[in-house]
Amino acid sequence: MPEKRWPVAGGRWPVKCATRSYRALASGIWHLILPPLFAVACLAQSPAELLNNPAVGAAMEAAKRNESKTLETQVRLCEIPAPPFHEEVRGRELQRLFGELGLKDVRTDRAGNVIGVRPGRAAHPNLVFSAHLDTVFPEGTDVKVKLDGEVLKGPGIGDDCRGLAVMLAVIGALNDGHVETPGTITFVADVGEEGLGDLRGMKSLFYESLKGQIDKFISVDGTGLGITHIGVGSNRYRVTFKGPGGHSFGAFGMANPIQAMGRAIAKIDAFEVPKQPKTTFNVGRVGGGTSVNAIPFEAWMEVDMRSSDPASLKALDDKFNAAVKQAVAEENQRWGNRGPVTAAAELVGVRPAGQTPKNSPIVQTALSVSRAMQIEEALREGSTDSNVPMNLGIPAITISGGGNGTGAHSLNEAFDPKDSWRGTQRALVLAIALAR
Ligand SMILES: [Zn+2]
């Protein structure tokens, strides 16, 4: 941590803006209608002012200058395997790097999240800045990164080794620019973002290790320059259908678990779901049975349902559970209740839904920082670490870390670093703009 730190115009402009606009409008009914618009305009202006701050400028220069080092870090971290539920080796490296960069109170929580604090002038607002450690790739996957021209190729190189590298670059640039923020930034390399990891890192962070201490949240995930402000929630089930089973000829006349499951799938397939917000369902995997000439004793299916609207997701979930029950009842009735079938639906994944509205200060700040840096507006919905804070009503967004990525979640994942420094710079400026 550097000795000398420059204060960054903490809390100055929003107050000034609000006063100015309010005074100008304090007559007629317009003062009832316009102030919200002006508040947004003020936020829109401020990041441009921020870019003119000498400390911020120095940090931005450092971020650009050090981009090749950032890419090296991205490759090095990516070559440390971090399969689902086994992020600890990569986590230890992040813990070491957090310490090396001068973060305070560096620790690993019970879930495996690596946490380090860069204190500001005050403890609050406390901005959590995160990137996820885990990948979708199982143990034993070859994670060696190969260079194809300028393009980096390796599983996880974009999702989310890019985010981890950007996070470290942001800390380094803040130090290089001697930037002092009014609020505090808590950096987190988190576990369990992908698949059946089920956001367990975020759940642990918000429900346990930093419960009640987080005011704002930003995570860097993947590539490009998008901003995710809608958190698509999901419920995932594994449903197991069971019966006594028997010989296909000799025991004919018994209820059949696979046929019961077929009835359930047919009902699910007929669901009508809202187009807005997009609400979806999918039977993704099925299995069961032992032989073509045996009535199976077991069958199973895995089902995924998603929506950014908690009420739509709940309604779909209710319909799904009713459909499974109904299918079992129909199957048993069809065969006069001989060898009746049962079904048990196990909830194997819950990603809470939520959103940070477009007109919220955090999204507006992200948009105006992007605009000031000539980055096109690209608002998205998705399922990311931000789902958890969004669901709790804590201002949260997920931004992409720059560069150009293809093939995420596949062994052919690639990262083209052309102008990737822009992603690093934007993440940096946003961290500064939000830590106030
Ligand atoms: Zn990711």
Side-chain angles (χ1 to χ4, degrees):
M1 189 67 56
E3 304 260 290
K4 189 174 178 196
R5 291 159 122 213
W6 301 97
V8 175
R12 190 173 51 82
W13 45 263
V15 176
K16 197 173 71 183
C17 276
T19 319
R20 200 197 295 146
S21 59
Y22 209 83
R23 214 177 280 144
L25 291 159
S27 60
I29 58 156
W30 292 107
H31 77 279
L32 294 173
I33 302 162
L34 286 178
L37 294 177
F38 265 73
V40 171
C42 285
L43 285 167
Q45 279 167 9
S46 54
E49 287 178 33
L50 205 57
L51 299 187
N52 292 327
N53 178 294
V56 177
M60 287 175 74
E61 257 182 57
K64 186 174 181 181
R65 190 175 59 239
N66 292 329
E67 184 64 18
S68 60
K69 198 179 133 207
T70 301
L71 293 168
E72 273 170 38
T73 307
Q74 187 176 336
V75 169
R76 202 166 50 76
L77 291 174
C78 214
E79 293 183 339
I80 306 173
F85 300 97
H86 289 288
E87 301 96 337
E88 56 280 349
V89 183
R90 190 181 282 178
R92 276 199 293 278
E93 177 61 4
L94 262 293
Q95 178 152 358
R96 189 185 72 77
L97 292 167
F98 276 4
E100 206 175 82
L101 286 163
L103 294 188
K104 306 285 181 236
D105 199 13
V106 176
R107 63 199 187 275
T108 297
D109 75 3
R110 221 151 53 116
N113 297 314
V114 181
I115 303 170
V117 181
R118 191 174 191 277
R121 286 211 297 274
H124 291 277
N126 182 21
L127 167 72
V128 163
F129 187 114
S130 84
H132 67 85
L133 288 164
D134 59 313
T135 67
V136 297
F137 305 102
E139 234 156 325
T141 303
D142 178 10
V143 289
K144 185 91 189 116
V145 177
K146 293 167 192 79
L147 199 60
D148 180 356
E150 295 283 296
V151 177
L152 304 170
K153 290 188 167 172
I157 189 68
D159 182 11
D160 191 24
C161 294
R162 180 59 191 166
L164 292 169
V166 166
M167 176 164 67
L168 294 165
V170 165
I171 305 167
L174 288 169
N175 290 348
D176 286 350
H178 306 293
V179 174
E180 183 184 37
T181 50
T184 289
I185 309 179
T186 302
F187 291 93
V188 179
D190 60 278
V191 297
E193 194 273 342
E194 300 285 6
L196 292 180
D198 210 24
L199 304 180
R200 74 179 197 288
M202 283 298 117
K203 288 174 183 169
S204 158
L205 197 76
F206 280 89
Y207 305 159
E208 203 182 308
S209 18
L210 295 181
K211 187 179 178 187
Q213 298 168 45
I214 305 170
D215 304 304
K216 302 175 194 179
F217 177 86
I218 181 167
S219 80
V220 185
D221 198 345
T223 60
L225 292 167
I227 299 169
T228 301
H229 74 114
I230 294 176
V232 178
S234 64
N235 288 357
R236 291 171 177 166
Y237 283 91
R238 185 181 166 100
V239 190
T240 309
F241 297 79
K242 284 184 174 169
H247 196 283
S248 62
F249 189 74
F252 182 71
M254 283 168 71
N256 179 317
I258 289 184
Q259 287 162 213
M261 187 165 83
R263 289 174 186 270
I265 294 172
K267 288 180 194 299
I268 293 166
D269 187 67
F271 286 168
E272 293 292 341
V273 283
K275 278 206 172 62
Q276 268 315 320
K278 186 174 173 184
T279 301
T280 64
F281 56 83
N282 181 55
V283 180
R285 289 204 324 145
V286 297
T290 48
S291 167
V292 68
N293 58 348
I295 299 167
F297 60 87
E298 190 180 284
W300 57 266
M301 64 176 176
E302 286 176 357
V303 182
D304 165 272
M305 293 173 278
R306 301 185 183 215
S307 179
S308 64
D309 173 36
S312 301
L313 188 56
K314 167 81 170 64
L316 181 58
D317 186 275
D318 288 348
K319 259 170 44 176
F320 160 77
N321 279 291
V324 169
K325 273 205 188 86
Q326 183 71 29
V328 168
E330 285 172 11
E331 174 69 11
N332 289 336
Q333 196 185 20
R334 159 75 181 88
W335 299 104
N337 225 29
R338 269 169 294 159
V341 167
T342 59
E346 185 199 352
L347 192 58
V348 291
V350 180
R351 290 172 168 246
Q355 61 172 294
T356 308
K358 186 178 175 183
N359 62 4
S360 64
I362 189 171
V363 176
Q364 285 301 314
T365 302
L367 288 175
S368 39
V369 164
S370 304
R371 254 194 311 275
M373 300 177 74
Q374 278 93 49
I375 293 170
E376 246 173 72
E377 174 173 327
L379 288 177
R380 307 241 157 85
E381 49 183 294
S383 178
T384 69
D385 274 339
S386 285
N387 278 43
V388 173
M390 282 172 184
N391 188 258
L392 294 170
I394 296 170
I397 50 171
T398 295
I399 60 169
S400 333
N404 241 310
T406 52
H409 293 194
S410 85
L411 294 173
N412 303 318
E413 190 169 351
F415 179 79
D416 180 347
K418 184 166 187 298
D419 294 336
S420 58
W421 57 270
R422 297 178 79 212
T424 315
Q425 272 196 345
R426 182 181 65 168
L428 167 72
V429 178
L430 254 177
I432 299 169
L434 295 174
R436 62 175 70 220

